[in-house]
């Protein structure tokens, strides 16, 4: 999955083109960045429509199913209208930030049983990353799972490199039910390590920097990463 970068200052047509390129090249999903903001429902709808059109074009070009995950981080009075928009237009999944919007937002959306929900770690890592105090990542994961999250962002250190304390399949910080998300500097040569840390192939990789900065361009870079993924031996 590629997170949409940069999250601000890029017009919708350009963002849609980048999404189509990375999906056509081989990625399975694109997601809104958590920092993307929309001033009103009309602007949000235009954005979602453009991203869905890019998804569908990539599906047609690649012959594969592709997915788009929309950002529902918004003011409380905006949530219901934006939820109606994503449901009506056929979005594949959404993200919310429980530490900003409240755990009740996560549980309310989960009760609708319409699509998978990503519990983003925006602000919650303020409570989990301080070396001397805070909430253990395993506790945050359990809380978000209990409230209905289907994807959970793992701790920043999780399988970042060999030898880190979380880089083992028995890590207590890995979500138990929800699919774990690994993000931040992920590269093709790290794929065996990511699998070992999770213990299976049931996880999401958020990859942006590696493909965005590749000398061959976004679409070709996505193809290189996908080839590396497909070339892994069976778990």
């Amino acid at each position: 999955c590629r997170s949409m970068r940069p999250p601000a200052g890029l017009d919708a047509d350009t963002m849609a083109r980048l999404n189509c390129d990375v999906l056509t090249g081989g990625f399975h999903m694109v997601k809104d960045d958590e920092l993307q903001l929309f001033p009103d429902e009309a602007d949000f709808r235009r954005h979602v429509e453009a991203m869905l059109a890019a998804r569908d074009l990539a599906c047609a070009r690649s012959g594969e199913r592709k997915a788009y995950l929309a950002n529902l981080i918004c003011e409380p009075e905006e949530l219901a209208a934006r939820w109606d928009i994503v449901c009506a237009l056929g979005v594949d999944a959404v993200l919310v930030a429980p530490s900003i919007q409240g755990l009740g937002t996560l549980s309310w959306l989960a009760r609708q049983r319409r699509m998978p929900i990503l519990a983003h770690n925006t602000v919650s890592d303020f409570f989990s990353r301080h070396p001397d105090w805070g909430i253990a990542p395993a506790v945050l994961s359990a809380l978000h799972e209990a409230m209905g999250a289907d994807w959970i962002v793992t701790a920043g250190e999780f399988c970042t490199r060999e030898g880190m304390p979380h880089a083992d399949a028995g890590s207590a910080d890995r979500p138990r039910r929800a699919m774990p998300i690994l993000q931040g500097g992920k590269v093709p040569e790290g794929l065996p390590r990511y699998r070992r840390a999770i213990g299976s192939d049931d996880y999401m990789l958020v990859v942006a920097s590696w493909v965005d900065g590749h000398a061959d361009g976004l679409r070709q870079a996505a193809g290189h990463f996908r080839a590396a993924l497909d070339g892994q031996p069976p778990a």
Side-chain angles (χ1 to χ4, degrees), residues 17 120 144 211:
R17 177 178 56 79
H120 202 274
H144 290 158
V211 291

Side-chain angles (χ1 to χ4, degrees), residues 30-99:
V30 291
K31 62 176 282 293
D32 285 340
D33 191 89
E34 69 275 9
L35 298 179
Q36 285 176 279
L37 298 173
F38 308 96
D40 52 43
E41 274 61 60
D43 189 66
F44 178 72
R45 176 183 284 273
R46 284 191 294 270
H47 169 82
V48 171
E49 288 175 341
M51 301 311 115
L52 288 172
R55 177 201 68 182
D56 294 344
L57 180 58
C59 288
R61 288 176 173 175
S62 66
E64 295 183 331
R65 182 178 179 181
K66 305 296 181 178
Y68 160 56
L69 192 156
N71 179 353
L72 281 186
I73 301 175
C74 59
E75 297 297 332
E77 66 271 16
E78 297 172 324
L79 182 62
R82 296 191 184 191
W83 175 245
D84 288 344
I85 289 170
V86 299
C87 289
L89 294 180
V91 165
D92 300 288
V94 294
L95 69 87
V96 292
S99 292

Side-chain angles (χ1 to χ4, degrees), residues 185-208:
K186 297 301 177 280
V187 294
E189 54 266 32
L191 287 167
R193 185 167 72 252
Y194 311 149
R195 174 190 276 174
R196 286 197 302 272
I198 297 299
S200 73
D201 285 330
D202 293 325
Y203 64 93
M204 179 197 288
L205 277 181
V206 176
V207 180

Side-chain angles (χ1 to χ4, degrees), residues 104-188:
T105 294
L106 177 57
S107 63
W108 181 77
L109 292 175
R111 288 196 301 272
Q112 311 306 309
R113 296 185 178 274
R114 292 294 299 270
M115 65 187 73
I117 304 166
L118 190 167
H120 202 274
N121 62 341
T122 297
V123 177
S124 66
D125 47 7
F126 173 80
F127 302 107
S128 63
R129 291 191 177 185
H130 194 281
D132 298 321
W133 59 271
I135 304 172
V139 174
L140 279 174
S141 287
L143 184 59
H144 290 158
E145 284 182 314
M147 303 305 281
D150 300 294
W151 280 302
I152 293 175
V153 182
T154 57
E157 302 87 357
F158 193 92
C159 73
T160 301
R161 62 180 185 271
E162 296 287 4
M164 293 299 286
H166 301 303
D168 64 272
S171 172
D173 291 346
R174 176 167 51 87
R176 302 293 111 184
R177 176 188 60 78
M179 181 176 283
I181 298 172
L182 309 181
Q183 60 177 359
K186 297 301 177 280
V187 294

